[in-house]
Every structure is written in C-alpha cells, then in structure tokens.
Amino acid sequence: MIPLSLHEIAAVVGGTVEGDGAVTVTAPAVLDGRRAEPGGLFVAFAGEHTDGHDHAGQAGLTGAVAVLGSRPTALPTVVVEDAQAAVQALAAHVTARLRDGLTVVGLTGSQGKTGTKDLLAAMLSSTAATTATHGSLNNELGVPLTMLRADPATRYLVLEMGARHIGDIAALTGLVAPDIAVVLNVGQAHLGEFGSRAAIARTKGELVRGLAPGGTAVLNADDPRVVAMRSFTDGPVLTFGRAEHADVRVLDLTLDRLGRPFFTLRTAAAAAAVALPLVGAHQALNASAAATAALAAGVPLDVSAAALATAALSKWRMEPRELANGTTLLNDSYNANPDSTRATLDALDALAVTEGGRRIAVLGEMRELGDESEAQHRAIGEYASSRADVVAAVGEAARPIADAAATRPGTLVLTLADNAAAVDWLRDHLTAADVVLVKASRSAHLDEVAAALP
C-alpha cells in the first residue's frame, strides 16, 4: 500500500471523512479486523448476520488506523455509499500510481489457478519483489485487496482471477489491464452457474480481451477452447503444454514413488530439468504455464526451473501429511470439480503403496454442476473405482459417487453419512501402509475430516 491520508482516500472514492482526515494509511486493507497490520485500513461491511462496523475497535487494537465503510465507526472513517465499489476504485488508483515499472499478470482457468499462481509467484519473487494473491482471494473483493498490497518496491503483481458469471473477469481487468494474461483451461467448474462450457470459455476469454496494449497472452496448447482465444488479441501469444507445437513444452514426465513429477521444460532456445516437490502429474502442466508467464515477464527458463525446486502450494491443495500411525494423507479439500477430482485421483493412483496398503479416496460433493450434477458424480464414482481400492462417498449429495463405484468388482465402496462418520471409519480402519485422498467442494468442509485425523 502506498501511504495515503484519509482526505486523499475520500477524494479517490468519493466519500466523506468522519474523524481525523490527516490520519495516514500505510499498510494493506483487510476485511477481517483481526488480521489488520499497524497502519492498515479496515474495510467494513454490514452483512445479514454481522456488521463489520461494530468490530472497528477490535481492528484498531490489532493495528488498523482507519476504516472504509458505510457509516462512522470508533476509528477515523471514510464513509461511502458502496464499500465494495470504493475498495475497487482505491485499488485501481493505487495500482495506476505504481504502474511505471510494474508488470501485472492476470491468471484464470477452471482449475489449477491457485497452484499455478503459487508456482509463478515463486519464480518471479526469486528475481524481484512480487505481490501475489493470498490463497484463492480471486473475486471482486480479493483482487482489489491484493492490488492494495502492492507498494513502490513491487515489480510483479500476480492476480488470480475467478468468475461465477459472464462479465466478472472483464470487471476485474477494468481495475487494471494485465500485461500478461494466463488462461489455463476451460473445464466444468461452476457449470451450473454458467450453463455451458461455451459460456465458461467466453468468460475466461475476457482476460485475454482485457490485456493492456501490447500485452502477452499465455495459453494452454492442449485445450482447443483456450488456444482459440489467440484471436482475441493482436499482441504476442505464447503457449504451454504437452502438445508438439507448444512454445514451452513438457517432456519426459515421470513420477517418483511419492507421486512427485520429474520432467523437462523445453523451448526453441533452451531446456531445463525440473524436480517438483509437489504431488501429481497435473502439477507439471501448471509449472509449464507458470514458466511461460515468467518468460513473458523476462525471467529465464533456468531461473524458473530452479525456483520450482522449493515451491510450495497454498493450504489444502494436495497437501501431504503423515499421520501418527504412518498413513499418508493427501489433503486436497479446498475445492473440487470433475476435472480437478480426476487429476487428484490420478495422483493417488500413481503413488506407490507398500504390501497390504490401500489407496483410499474420500470424496464429497462437487457443487455448482447444475443439471449435470448427478451424472458428473456418477462419472467420478466410476473413475474413482478404477484408481482407488476404497471409495468412500461422504454425505447424501455424494451418494451417486458410491452408487457408480459399486458397479466395479474389487473396489470397497462406502457411503458415509457425514464428516463425523468419515472420521470414525478412517480412525478405525487406516493402517500405516495406506494412502488417503480427501477431496470435495469447499462447502463440504472435508478439511475437517483431514484435521481430525491424528
């Protein structure tokens, strides 16, 4: 955040100051007052069940010096009619002030956004100061809050951009036009919201259409819907993937006994060997996307490959943990859709297990699939039964997974009523030789299952 007085903030967002307008904000804006930093700005919303304005005092105790909200509070406050619009206007202003010398990367896709963002941030931060999205804060509030964390030292600003409706990404690029636009894939996430994959493709393509003049599009050579987006820009286009024509190509992909990928990234001019400390073959494609974006930002391939050797992902994304009894747990409970679930099941299948060990898939509901929900859950059940020795469907909404998995001989299939039942079964049946995958949409809260296993 660049230092701004409340008078300056009010002028930018069209608000009025209640309290000392000379107070200067020097630290990032937050929505949770408990996370405020000294000199920070607390953004207050009046929700259906709680009013953030009532927590301004608590935010002040943790460091906030001011509030941006719709009514006066215990701290000096910039009062506006629409706090969300005000945060967005402030973010656009701050980023515009920093634009000289700042490279902005926008990144979207139906799956893999957060992991690829994490890998790209590792590459870029190895060469210069980088500000990137925390976790998956990729919506109409998360993106501007990330923008507000940039400061004069920032050279790379990496913005993960999500969407639930047509026009969402266009609105985000309206805040700041990216110099580099990365589109990973067009899958089935939020299919119920969009109605069709064509609508999803149209929305993801908004990122390419929103490029700054002369900006570079980074597109998945393996996804025809993504490759077609090259027509949305007159600027440079770089591609990544396993396809022979990809500008940055994944070659010689193998997995070790823990499912970690080893591969080569090759361009027309260079090649670099990569040993990725993450689980799953799909991470190689994410790494190639990140390396391509880094190349567009001026980071050499060998520098990116070196950064990948120590890269880590945000929590609950193929997060490995050894339980007290020796069981290996893969916690991928942050979110799920059919494509990402298949990728994690492939990762489970690739893991080596010792004699007597089982691959156990604990799967919950995949949300926002609309009319396709039952068919997609059944398809995942069939797929899971070919990849796991035990398939456990958690919750009534996940029952079609179990129903379909049960049609394959040789797979133990369980229908568990809820998370508590899943924890009970796992505690009673896991052995040191087993590997367990936990995967579901965020609203299923299967992170609670993972956390309850000692």
Side-chain angles (χ1 to χ4, degrees):
M1 180 75 173
I2 62 175
L4 291 171
S5 72
L6 293 197
H7 284 312
E8 291 174 304
I9 292 174
V12 170
V13 303
T16 59
V17 178
E18 295 288 339
D20 185 359
V23 168
T24 298
V25 174
T26 58
V30 296
L31 301 181
D32 184 344
R34 295 167 297 182
R35 298 182 181 275
E37 300 176 20
L41 179 68
F42 173 47
V43 183
F45 288 89
E48 183 178 351
H49 301 294
T50 184
D51 189 339
H53 299 81
D54 296 336
H55 301 285
Q58 179 188 47
L61 292 176
T62 56
V65 295
V67 173
L68 176 61
S70 57
R71 64 176 174 82
T73 72
L75 294 176
T77 305
V78 176
V79 179
V80 295
E81 289 187 6
D82 185 336
Q84 177 177 301
V87 170
Q88 293 176 344
L90 182 61
H93 172 80
V94 167
T95 307
R97 291 266 299 267
L98 297 172
R99 206 62 173 93
D100 288 344
L102 180 68
T103 297
V104 179
V105 184
L107 188 149
T108 194
S110 294
Q111 57 269 342
K113 292 187 295 295
T114 300
T116 304
K117 175 266 304 178
D118 291 337
L119 298 178
L120 177 58
M123 295 172 184
L124 298 178
S125 62
S126 71
T127 67
T130 299
T131 297
T133 302
H134 283 160
S136 293
L137 297 177
N138 59 23
N139 62 8
E140 66 277 3
L141 285 173
V143 169
L145 288 175
T146 302
M147 294 165 64
L148 288 172
R149 286 177 30 233
D151 60 33
T154 304
R155 290 295 169 264
Y156 298 112
L157 176 60
V158 181
L159 300 171
E160 178 183 331
M161 296 183 177
R164 292 178 182 272
H165 308 93
I166 292 174
D168 283 353
I169 291 176
L172 297 176
T173 61
L175 303 180
V176 58
D179 301 295
I180 301 167
V182 185
V183 184
L184 298 174
N185 42 58
V186 175
Q188 299 174 86
H190 310 306
L191 184 61
E193 297 284 347
F194 286 102
S196 69
R197 292 184 77 167
I200 295 172
R202 176 181 169 187
T203 303
K204 302 306 181 186
E206 291 169 5
L207 182 60
V208 179
R209 295 183 186 275
L211 273 166
T216 301
V218 174
L219 305 177
N220 184 350
D222 301 336
D223 188 326
R225 290 183 176 88
V226 176
V227 172
M229 295 176 192
R230 65 168 62 243
S231 65
F232 297 167
T233 178
D234 294 327
V237 174
L238 293 175
T239 59
F240 62 88
R242 305 191 72 172
E244 187 174 352
H245 61 274
D247 294 306
V248 178
R249 192 178 178 197
V250 177
L251 294 171
D252 306 324
L253 174 61
T254 61
L255 302 177
D256 70 4
R257 61 177 301 275
L258 298 178
R260 296 173 300 194
F262 292 74
F263 54 96
T264 298
L265 290 177
R266 186 181 300 278
T267 69
V274 177
L276 203 56
L278 308 173
V279 178
H282 61 288
Q283 302 293 358
L285 186 65
N286 293 344
S288 70
T292 308
L295 276 176
V299 178
L301 189 66
D302 60 336
V303 174
S304 292
L308 287 172
T310 57
L313 301 182
S314 299
K315 68 177 183 177
W316 302 342
R317 292 165 178 85
M318 292 304 285
E319 186 176 87
R321 177 162 65 91
E322 184 175 314
L323 303 183
N325 70 343
T327 302
T328 298
L329 171 70
L330 293 177
N331 182 358
D332 199 60
S333 60
Y334 187 82
N335 217 337
N337 60 62
D339 297 315
S340 68
T341 302
R342 285 186 178 87
T344 55
L345 287 166
D346 286 343
L348 176 66
D349 182 46
L351 291 178
V353 294
T354 56
E355 184 176 354
R358 300 165 297 174
R359 297 175 180 87
I360 302 172
V362 180
L363 305 174
E365 180 185 11
M366 301 176 293
R367 297 292 301 276
E368 299 178 357
L369 294 175
D371 293 340
E372 293 291 313
S373 181
E374 182 171 353
Q376 292 293 345
H377 281 85
R378 290 189 65 86
I380 285 298
E382 293 174 4
Y383 197 80
S385 66
S386 71
R387 296 293 187 269
D389 303 298
V390 180
V391 176
V394 182
E396 184 60 31
R399 181 178 291 274
I401 294 175
D403 292 342
T407 63
R408 184 184 183 92
T411 304
L412 174 61
V413 179
L414 307 167
T415 302
L416 302 172
D418 51 28
N419 289 355
V423 171
D424 288 344
W425 189 90
L426 291 167
R427 283 177 172 170
D428 290 343
H429 293 88
L430 290 180
T431 71
D434 292 333
V435 179
V436 181
L437 168 68
V438 178
K439 177 76 169 174
S441 283
R442 185 73 194 94
S443 58
H445 301 291
L446 285 201
D447 58 287
E448 297 172 355
V449 174
L453 299 175

